[in-house]
Amino acid sequence: QVQLVESGGGSVQAGGSLRLSCAVSGYNIGTDCWGWFRQAPGKEREAVAAIDSGDDTSYADSVKGRFTISQDTAKNTLYLQMNNLKPEDTAMYYCAADLDGVNVACGSWSSPPVDFGYRGQGTQVTVSS
């Protein structure tokens, strides 16, 4: 059974940085499509970033140049490095995986996918001004 466990969230001031981690068990990363999405209270889910088996990456326009997604196959862990955080980045962040071949080559998409078959429990990121 695939399990995704996020960590690294917290509260920071605007301009600060956080690195989110997603420890994966039951499946090997570095294959298929993996990503991060976020959701703030009262708002729709927003895709943030995605990475595919070729290490190609895709980002939402709102985070381009500030966020970096990466995967460490040796640790079977997905990361999201977030720099220059803004108050509008405040949300619950979820690690997600598409293991059914729906989001093929997702890193080459103009925008990351928002729908994944698997997700973690989320980690809260709060950015104050």
Side-chain angles (χ1 to χ4, degrees), residues 40-90:
K43 294 188 177 181
E44 292 187 355
R45 179 186 297 187
E46 179 186 11
V48 174
I51 187 167
D52 61 28
S53 59
D55 269 347
D56 289 323
T57 56
S58 177
Y59 297 93
D61 287 343
S62 58
V63 307
K64 279 180 183 176
R66 300 189 298 122
F67 290 12
T68 302
I69 187 172
S70 61
Q71 53 189 354
D72 185 332
T73 55
K75 295 182 178 180
N76 219 38
T77 301
L78 188 72
Y79 300 100
L80 185 68
Q81 177 68 43
M82 305 186 296
N83 298 328
N84 191 22
L85 282 160
K86 303 176 180 181
E88 51 264 42
D89 294 319
T90 295

Side-chain angles (χ1 to χ4, degrees), residues 6-35:
E6 302 96 334
S7 61
S11 297
V12 296
Q13 290 190 328
S17 298
L18 284 172
R19 188 176 79 155
L20 306 184
S21 298
C22 174
V24 179
S25 60
Y27 202 89
N28 292 330
I29 67 170
T31 62
D32 301 280
C33 174
W34 300 79

